[in-house]
PDB file of all heavy atoms in Angstrom:
ATOM      1  N   LEU A   1     -30.890 152.834 196.454  1.00 96.00           N
ATOM      2  CA  LEU A   1     -32.328 153.059 196.546  1.00 96.00           C
ATOM      3  C   LEU A   1     -32.712 154.313 195.788  1.00 96.00           C
ATOM      4  O   LEU A   1     -31.925 155.266 195.688  1.00 96.00           O
ATOM      5  CB  LEU A   1     -32.746 153.251 198.010  1.00 96.00           C
ATOM      6  CG  LEU A   1     -32.433 152.145 199.019  1.00 96.00           C
ATOM      7  CD1 LEU A   1     -32.699 152.646 200.429  1.00 96.00           C
ATOM      8  CD2 LEU A   1     -33.281 150.912 198.730  1.00 96.00           C
ATOM      9  N   ASN A   2     -33.930 154.326 195.267  1.00 94.00           N
ATOM     10  CA  ASN A   2     -34.533 155.573 194.833  1.00 94.00           C
ATOM     11  C   ASN A   2     -35.529 155.970 195.919  1.00 94.00           C
ATOM     12  O   ASN A   2     -36.549 155.298 196.126  1.00 94.00           O
ATOM     13  CB  ASN A   2     -35.248 155.424 193.489  1.00 94.00           C
ATOM     14  CG  ASN A   2     -35.607 156.767 192.900  1.00 94.00           C
ATOM     15  OD1 ASN A   2     -34.732 157.510 192.457  1.00 94.00           O
ATOM     16  ND2 ASN A   2     -36.888 157.116 192.921  1.00 94.00           N
ATOM     17  N   VAL A   3     -35.194 157.017 196.665  1.00 97.00           N
ATOM     18  CA  VAL A   3     -36.012 157.469 197.789  1.00 97.00           C
ATOM     19  C   VAL A   3     -36.835 158.674 197.340  1.00 97.00           C
ATOM     20  O   VAL A   3     -36.302 159.613 196.737  1.00 97.00           O
ATOM     21  CB  VAL A   3     -35.141 157.827 199.003  1.00 97.00           C
ATOM     22  CG1 VAL A   3     -35.993 158.302 200.166  1.00 97.00           C
ATOM     23  CG2 VAL A   3     -34.306 156.617 199.431  1.00 97.00           C
ATOM     24  N   THR A   4     -38.121 158.645 197.650  1.00 95.00           N
ATOM     25  CA  THR A   4     -39.034 159.721 197.246  1.00 95.00           C
ATOM     26  C   THR A   4     -39.742 160.286 198.458  1.00 95.00           C
ATOM     27  O   THR A   4     -40.258 159.535 199.300  1.00 95.00           O
ATOM     28  CB  THR A   4     -40.079 159.211 196.236  1.00 95.00           C
ATOM     29  OG1 THR A   4     -39.405 158.669 195.091  1.00 95.00           O
ATOM     30  CG2 THR A   4     -40.995 160.338 195.777  1.00 95.00           C
ATOM     31  N   VAL A   5     -39.751 161.601 198.544  1.00 96.00           N
ATOM     32  CA  VAL A   5     -40.554 162.327 199.527  1.00 96.00           C
ATOM     33  C   VAL A   5     -41.839 162.764 198.839  1.00 96.00           C
ATOM     34  O   VAL A   5     -41.808 163.305 197.724  1.00 96.00           O
ATOM     35  CB  VAL A   5     -39.794 163.562 200.047  1.00 96.00           C
ATOM     36  CG1 VAL A   5     -40.730 164.501 200.777  1.00 96.00           C
ATOM     37  CG2 VAL A   5     -38.652 163.152 200.947  1.00 96.00           C
ATOM     38  N   THR A   6     -42.984 162.554 199.483  1.00 96.00           N
ATOM     39  CA  THR A   6     -44.247 163.002 198.901  1.00 96.00           C
ATOM     40  C   THR A   6     -45.190 163.461 200.015  1.00 96.00           C
ATOM     41  O   THR A   6     -45.105 162.974 201.152  1.00 96.00           O
ATOM     42  CB  THR A   6     -44.889 161.891 198.048  1.00 96.00           C
ATOM     43  OG1 THR A   6     -46.003 162.428 197.318  1.00 96.00           O
ATOM     44  CG2 THR A   6     -45.320 160.695 198.873  1.00 96.00           C
ATOM     45  N   ASN A   7     -46.020 164.419 199.703  1.00 96.00           N
ATOM     46  CA  ASN A   7     -47.003 164.993 200.636  1.00 96.00           C
ATOM     47  C   ASN A   7     -46.382 165.658 201.861  1.00 96.00           C
ATOM     48  O   ASN A   7     -46.933 165.569 202.971  1.00 96.00           O
ATOM     49  CB  ASN A   7     -47.991 163.908 201.117  1.00 96.00           C
ATOM     50  CG  ASN A   7     -48.633 163.158 199.979  1.00 96.00           C
ATOM     51  OD1 ASN A   7     -49.058 163.756 198.992  1.00 96.00           O
ATOM     52  ND2 ASN A   7     -48.731 161.835 200.109  1.00 96.00           N
ATOM     53  N   PRO A   8     -45.235 166.350 201.729  1.00 98.00           N
ATOM     54  CA  PRO A   8     -44.666 167.002 202.922  1.00 98.00           C
ATOM     55  C   PRO A   8     -45.501 168.220 203.325  1.00 98.00           C
ATOM     56  O   PRO A   8     -46.047 168.935 202.480  1.00 98.00           O
ATOM     57  CB  PRO A   8     -43.273 167.423 202.458  1.00 98.00           C
ATOM     58  CG  PRO A   8     -43.405 167.622 200.984  1.00 98.00           C
ATOM     59  CD  PRO A   8     -44.410 166.596 200.528  1.00 98.00           C
ATOM     60  N   THR A   9     -45.586 168.461 204.631  1.00 98.00           N
ATOM     61  CA  THR A   9     -46.368 169.600 205.135  1.00 98.00           C
ATOM     62  C   THR A   9     -45.511 170.843 205.351  1.00 98.00           C
ATOM     63  O   THR A   9     -46.041 171.906 205.666  1.00 98.00           O
ATOM     64  CB  THR A   9     -47.042 169.222 206.454  1.00 98.00           C
ATOM     65  OG1 THR A   9     -46.026 168.872 207.421  1.00 98.00           O
ATOM     66  CG2 THR A   9     -47.985 168.036 206.269  1.00 98.00           C
ATOM     67  N   ALA A  10     -44.194 170.716 205.183  1.00 97.00           N
ATOM     68  CA  ALA A  10     -43.298 171.856 205.371  1.00 97.00           C
ATOM     69  C   ALA A  10     -42.044 171.642 204.543  1.00 97.00           C
ATOM     70  O   ALA A  10     -41.731 170.521 204.137  1.00 97.00           O
ATOM     71  CB  ALA A  10     -42.932 172.007 206.854  1.00 97.00           C
ATOM     72  N   ALA A  11     -41.341 172.748 204.288  1.00 96.00           N
ATOM     73  CA  ALA A  11     -40.050 172.633 203.626  1.00 96.00           C
ATOM     74  C   ALA A  11     -39.074 171.913 204.553  1.00 96.00           C
ATOM     75  O   ALA A  11     -39.088 172.126 205.773  1.00 96.00           O
ATOM     76  CB  ALA A  11     -39.519 174.010 203.263  1.00 96.00           C
ATOM     77  N   GLY A  12     -38.227 171.048 203.962  1.00 96.00           N
ATOM     78  CA  GLY A  12     -37.313 170.313 204.819  1.00 96.00           C
ATOM     79  C   GLY A  12     -36.331 169.486 204.035  1.00 96.00           C
ATOM     80  O   GLY A  12     -36.101 169.706 202.840  1.00 96.00           O
ATOM     81  N   TYR A  13     -35.755 168.493 204.718  1.00 97.00           N
ATOM     82  CA  TYR A  13     -34.814 167.600 204.062  1.00 97.00           C
ATOM     83  C   TYR A  13     -34.867 166.226 204.735  1.00 97.00           C
ATOM     84  O   TYR A  13     -35.329 166.077 205.869  1.00 97.00           O
ATOM     85  CB  TYR A  13     -33.390 168.168 204.089  1.00 97.00           C
ATOM     86  CG  TYR A  13     -32.774 168.298 205.472  1.00 97.00           C
ATOM     87  CD1 TYR A  13     -32.062 167.239 206.045  1.00 97.00           C
ATOM     88  CD2 TYR A  13     -32.891 169.481 206.195  1.00 97.00           C
ATOM     89  CE1 TYR A  13     -31.489 167.358 207.301  1.00 97.00           C
ATOM     90  CE2 TYR A  13     -32.320 169.612 207.454  1.00 97.00           C
ATOM     91  CZ  TYR A  13     -31.631 168.548 208.002  1.00 97.00           C
ATOM     92  OH  TYR A  13     -31.070 168.670 209.246  1.00 97.00           O
ATOM     93  N   VAL A  14     -34.362 165.233 204.024  1.00 98.00           N
ATOM     94  CA  VAL A  14     -34.277 163.869 204.534  1.00 98.00           C
ATOM     95  C   VAL A  14     -32.831 163.401 204.427  1.00 98.00           C
ATOM     96  O   VAL A  14     -32.159 163.664 203.416  1.00 98.00           O
ATOM     97  CB  VAL A  14     -35.208 162.921 203.748  1.00 98.00           C
ATOM     98  CG1 VAL A  14     -34.857 161.450 204.002  1.00 98.00           C
ATOM     99  CG2 VAL A  14     -36.665 163.187 204.116  1.00 98.00           C
ATOM    100  N   THR A  15     -32.351 162.721 205.439  1.00 97.00           N
ATOM    101  CA  THR A  15     -31.014 162.139 205.444  1.00 97.00           C
ATOM    102  C   THR A  15     -31.135 160.624 205.572  1.00 97.00           C
ATOM    103  O   THR A  15     -31.848 160.122 206.449  1.00 97.00           O
ATOM    104  CB  THR A  15     -30.172 162.681 206.618  1.00 97.00           C
ATOM    105  OG1 THR A  15     -30.090 164.106 206.519  1.00 97.00           O
ATOM    106  CG2 THR A  15     -28.769 162.093 206.601  1.00 97.00           C
ATOM    107  N   VAL A  16     -30.445 159.900 204.701  1.00 98.00           N
ATOM    108  CA  VAL A  16     -30.432 158.439 204.735  1.00 98.00           C
ATOM    109  C   VAL A  16     -29.014 158.013 205.134  1.00 98.00           C
ATOM    110  O   VAL A  16     -28.039 158.449 204.522  1.00 98.00           O
ATOM    111  CB  VAL A  16     -30.809 157.849 203.366  1.00 98.00           C
ATOM    112  CG1 VAL A  16     -30.954 156.326 203.465  1.00 98.00           C
ATOM    113  CG2 VAL A  16     -32.110 158.470 202.848  1.00 98.00           C
ATOM    114  N   TYR A  17     -28.903 157.141 206.139  1.00 97.00           N
ATOM    115  CA  TYR A  17     -27.584 156.815 206.664  1.00 97.00           C
ATOM    116  C   TYR A  17     -27.596 155.416 207.281  1.00 97.00           C
ATOM    117  O   TYR A  17     -28.671 154.794 207.428  1.00 97.00           O
ATOM    118  CB  TYR A  17     -27.130 157.866 207.678  1.00 97.00           C
ATOM    119  CG  TYR A  17     -28.055 158.077 208.868  1.00 97.00           C
ATOM    120  CD1 TYR A  17     -27.748 157.523 210.108  1.00 97.00           C
ATOM    121  CD2 TYR A  17     -29.211 158.835 208.756  1.00 97.00           C
ATOM    122  CE1 TYR A  17     -28.566 157.717 211.201  1.00 97.00           C
ATOM    123  CE2 TYR A  17     -30.046 159.041 209.845  1.00 97.00           C
ATOM    124  CZ  TYR A  17     -29.730 158.475 211.066  1.00 97.00           C
ATOM    125  OH  TYR A  17     -30.546 158.664 212.149  1.00 97.00           O
ATOM    126  N   PRO A  18     -26.422 154.875 207.639  1.00 97.00           N
ATOM    127  CA  PRO A  18     -26.372 153.505 208.152  1.00 97.00           C
ATOM    128  C   PRO A  18     -27.153 153.351 209.453  1.00 97.00           C
ATOM    129  O   PRO A  18     -27.108 154.223 210.340  1.00 97.00           O
ATOM    130  CB  PRO A  18     -24.869 153.267 208.379  1.00 97.00           C
ATOM    131  CG  PRO A  18     -24.180 154.273 207.526  1.00 97.00           C
ATOM    132  CD  PRO A  18     -25.082 155.460 207.483  1.00 97.00           C
ATOM    133  N   TYR A  19     -27.824 152.242 209.583  1.00 98.00           N
ATOM    134  CA  TYR A  19     -28.624 151.957 210.771  1.00 98.00           C
ATOM    135  C   TYR A  19     -27.748 151.967 212.028  1.00 98.00           C
ATOM    136  O   TYR A  19     -26.660 151.400 212.066  1.00 98.00           O
ATOM    137  CB  TYR A  19     -29.277 150.585 210.619  1.00 98.00           C
ATOM    138  CG  TYR A  19     -29.991 150.093 211.854  1.00 98.00           C
ATOM    139  CD1 TYR A  19     -31.173 150.685 212.269  1.00 98.00           C
ATOM    140  CD2 TYR A  19     -29.467 149.041 212.596  1.00 98.00           C
ATOM    141  CE1 TYR A  19     -31.838 150.231 213.407  1.00 98.00           C
ATOM    142  CE2 TYR A  19     -30.117 148.575 213.731  1.00 98.00           C
ATOM    143  CZ  TYR A  19     -31.294 149.175 214.130  1.00 98.00           C
ATOM    144  OH  TYR A  19     -31.944 148.717 215.250  1.00 98.00           O
ATOM    145  N   GLY A  20     -28.249 152.658 213.054  1.00 95.00           N
ATOM    146  CA  GLY A  20     -27.564 152.681 214.337  1.00 95.00           C
ATOM    147  C   GLY A  20     -26.425 153.657 214.441  1.00 95.00           C
ATOM    148  O   GLY A  20     -25.896 153.874 215.546  1.00 95.00           O
ATOM    149  N   ALA A  21     -26.011 154.270 213.318  1.00 96.00           N
ATOM    150  CA  ALA A  21     -24.907 155.229 213.345  1.00 96.00           C
ATOM    151  C   ALA A  21     -25.411 156.599 213.785  1.00 96.00           C
ATOM    152  O   ALA A  21     -26.610 156.899 213.733  1.00 96.00           O
ATOM    153  CB  ALA A  21     -24.254 155.331 211.972  1.00 96.00           C
ATOM    154  N   SER A  22     -24.487 157.448 214.233  1.00 97.00           N
ATOM    155  CA  SER A  22     -24.858 158.833 214.532  1.00 97.00           C
ATOM    156  C   SER A  22     -25.285 159.524 213.245  1.00 97.00           C
ATOM    157  O   SER A  22     -24.651 159.361 212.204  1.00 97.00           O
ATOM    158  CB  SER A  22     -23.666 159.576 215.150  1.00 97.00           C
ATOM    159  OG  SER A  22     -23.280 158.977 216.369  1.00 97.00           O
ATOM    160  N   ARG A  23     -26.358 160.294 213.310  1.00 97.00           N
ATOM    161  CA  ARG A  23     -26.841 160.973 212.101  1.00 97.00           C
ATOM    162  C   ARG A  23     -25.808 161.996 211.642  1.00 97.00           C
ATOM    163  O   ARG A  23     -25.397 162.862 212.412  1.00 97.00           O
ATOM    164  CB  ARG A  23     -28.186 161.644 212.376  1.00 97.00           C
ATOM    165  CG  ARG A  23     -28.731 162.420 211.187  1.00 97.00           C
ATOM    166  CD  ARG A  23     -30.181 162.790 211.399  1.00 97.00           C
ATOM    167  NE  ARG A  23     -30.391 163.480 212.648  1.00 97.00           N
ATOM    168  CZ  ARG A  23     -30.268 164.784 212.827  1.00 97.00           C
ATOM    169  NH1 ARG A  23     -29.883 165.550 211.821  1.00 97.00           N
ATOM    170  NH2 ARG A  23     -30.501 165.335 214.007  1.00 97.00           N
ATOM    171  N   PRO A  24     -25.364 161.917 210.392  1.00 96.00           N
ATOM    172  CA  PRO A  24     -24.315 162.827 209.911  1.00 96.00           C
ATOM    173  C   PRO A  24     -24.869 164.193 209.505  1.00 96.00           C
ATOM    174  O   PRO A  24     -26.088 164.373 209.305  1.00 96.00           O
ATOM    175  CB  PRO A  24     -23.779 162.093 208.679  1.00 96.00           C
ATOM    176  CG  PRO A  24     -24.973 161.354 208.154  1.00 96.00           C
ATOM    177  CD  PRO A  24     -25.749 160.925 209.372  1.00 96.00           C
ATOM    178  N   LEU A  25     -23.962 165.159 209.370  1.00 94.00           N
ATOM    179  CA  LEU A  25     -24.306 166.460 208.801  1.00 94.00           C
ATOM    180  C   LEU A  25     -24.336 166.296 207.282  1.00 94.00           C
ATOM    181  O   LEU A  25     -23.343 166.509 206.588  1.00 94.00           O
ATOM    182  CB  LEU A  25     -23.274 167.516 209.201  1.00 94.00           C
ATOM    183  CG  LEU A  25     -23.458 168.903 208.576  1.00 94.00           C
ATOM    184  CD1 LEU A  25     -24.763 169.530 209.024  1.00 94.00           C
ATOM    185  CD2 LEU A  25     -22.274 169.810 208.924  1.00 94.00           C
ATOM    186  N   ALA A  26     -25.464 165.876 206.770  1.00 95.00           N
ATOM    187  CA  ALA A  26     -25.614 165.603 205.338  1.00 95.00           C
ATOM    188  C   ALA A  26     -27.097 165.509 205.031  1.00 95.00           C
ATOM    189  O   ALA A  26     -27.926 165.352 205.942  1.00 95.00           O
ATOM    190  CB  ALA A  26     -24.909 164.301 204.956  1.00 95.00           C
ATOM    191  N   SER A  27     -27.423 165.602 203.756  1.00 95.00           N
ATOM    192  CA  SER A  27     -28.818 165.450 203.335  1.00 95.00           C
ATOM    193  C   SER A  27     -28.847 164.737 201.994  1.00 95.00           C
ATOM    194  O   SER A  27     -27.879 164.761 201.234  1.00 95.00           O
ATOM    195  CB  SER A  27     -29.516 166.806 203.225  1.00 95.00           C
ATOM    196  OG  SER A  27     -28.903 167.608 202.219  1.00 95.00           O
ATOM    197  N   ASN A  28     -29.974 164.082 201.713  1.00 96.00           N
ATOM    198  CA  ASN A  28     -30.157 163.395 200.441  1.00 96.00           C
ATOM    199  C   ASN A  28     -31.297 163.973 199.621  1.00 96.00           C
ATOM    200  O   ASN A  28     -31.243 163.953 198.397  1.00 96.00           O
ATOM    201  CB  ASN A  28     -30.425 161.907 200.674  1.00 96.00           C
ATOM    202  CG  ASN A  28     -29.267 161.205 201.352  1.00 96.00           C
ATOM    203  OD1 ASN A  28     -29.255 161.043 202.566  1.00 96.00           O
ATOM    204  ND2 ASN A  28     -28.269 160.811 200.574  1.00 96.00           N
ATOM    205  N   LEU A  29     -32.345 164.457 200.279  1.00 95.00           N
ATOM    206  CA  LEU A  29     -33.476 165.047 199.574  1.00 95.00           C
ATOM    207  C   LEU A  29     -33.813 166.382 200.211  1.00 95.00           C
ATOM    208  O   LEU A  29     -33.830 166.512 201.444  1.00 95.00           O
ATOM    209  CB  LEU A  29     -34.712 164.146 199.632  1.00 95.00           C
ATOM    210  CG  LEU A  29     -34.614 162.802 198.907  1.00 95.00           C
ATOM    211  CD1 LEU A  29     -34.244 161.704 199.894  1.00 95.00           C
ATOM    212  CD2 LEU A  29     -35.925 162.456 198.215  1.00 95.00           C
TER     213      LEU A  29
END
């Protein structure tokens, strides 16, 4: 996928991961 963040109201990050899995210590954007 090409994932895009737009119009964020604060500095941050997004993590994309397998559905239903525990969220990992990682980031994509």
Side-chain angles (χ1 to χ4, degrees):
L1 302 170
N2 192 71
V3 180
T4 302
V5 165
T6 189
N7 307 316
T9 60
Y13 65 89
V14 164
T15 302
V16 187
Y17 57 102
Y19 173 71
S22 298
R23 178 167 53 86
L25 175 64
S27 63
N28 298 96
L29 294 97

